[in-house]
Amino acid sequence: DAKTTQPTSMDCAEGRAANLPCNHSTISGNEYVYWYRQIHSQGPQYIIHGLKNNETNEMASLIITEDRKSSTLILPHATLRDTAVYYCIVNKGAQKLVFGQGTRLTINP
Amino acid sequence: GAVVSQHPSRVICKSGTSVKIECRSLDFQATTMFWYRQFPKQSLMLMATSNEGSKATYEQGVEKDKFLINHASLTLSTLTVTSAHPEDSSFYICSARSPASAEQYFGPGTRLTVT
């Protein structure tokens, strides 16, 4: 699976949009971009995934660049409960997920 | 989304004893489940892939005789930590793959403390 690079930590003000970047420059054509998050002492939670088109669901939006070498997860109106570690994972789908270090997002009041 | 449960949520055991952790998919059948381990302030590390009706596939460096995995039904996988030592103290998390969507759903985790 392709490797991903994410910032170690980010801060965002409550109510603002949180934009989390992810680089995956070695992604191959049949690999998806998945985002999960882990709130302290809980199991990871699925957020969203995409192949090449932008995706949106009730939790977030996923913007994938045209060359697919990077993506951005957008939480449109961050709340304190969105404080978590966010993991960007590239995967062919239906395979084991390999977690990197992720981005520790802190939402500040 | 689909629900995955783990039992127990916390367990304390003495060094040298064995501990069994259960992972259940509550509303879907999972032919494949995964077991992860997470140490404090670190990311999740995949330990093994559990396949229903066949032997588990272990990641490099994970001792299969120490971490016994059984996936006897489509809704249950168990991880047994044998002859536990304090260095096995960790947060153990399972996930199950939904055949309908290929998404993985994670359990809430089991915190193991070996004294």
Side-chain angles (χ1 to χ4, degrees), chain B residues 15-75:
Chain B
S15 190
T17 62
S18 296
V19 174
K20 180 186 285 189
I21 303 170
E22 293 184 349
C23 177
R24 293 181 186 273
S25 56
L26 298 186
D27 50 3
F28 66 99
Q29 294 184 327
T31 54
T32 304
M33 292 184 174
F34 303 89
W35 286 96
Y36 294 81
R37 180 168 56 179
Q38 186 175 32
F39 293 108
K41 298 190 186 301
Q42 294 186 24
S43 185
L44 286 80
M45 186 195 79
L46 180 66
M47 298 175 67
T49 301
S50 170
N51 299 298
E52 188 267 335
S54 64
K55 291 183 179 180
T57 304
Y58 290 81
E59 295 298 305
Q60 192 172 8
V62 178
E63 300 175 58
K64 61 180 173 64
D65 294 329
K66 180 169 180 62
F67 299 100
L68 301 179
I69 292 172
N70 185 282
H71 193 157
S73 79
L74 288 171
T75 58

Side-chain angles (χ1 to χ4, degrees), chain B residues 70-92:
Chain B
N70 185 282
H71 193 157
S73 79
L74 288 171
T75 58
L76 173 64
S77 175
T78 61
L79 168 69
T80 301
V81 182
T82 63
S83 186
H85 290 103
E87 56 266 31
D88 297 323
S89 298
S90 188
F91 193 48
Y92 290 86

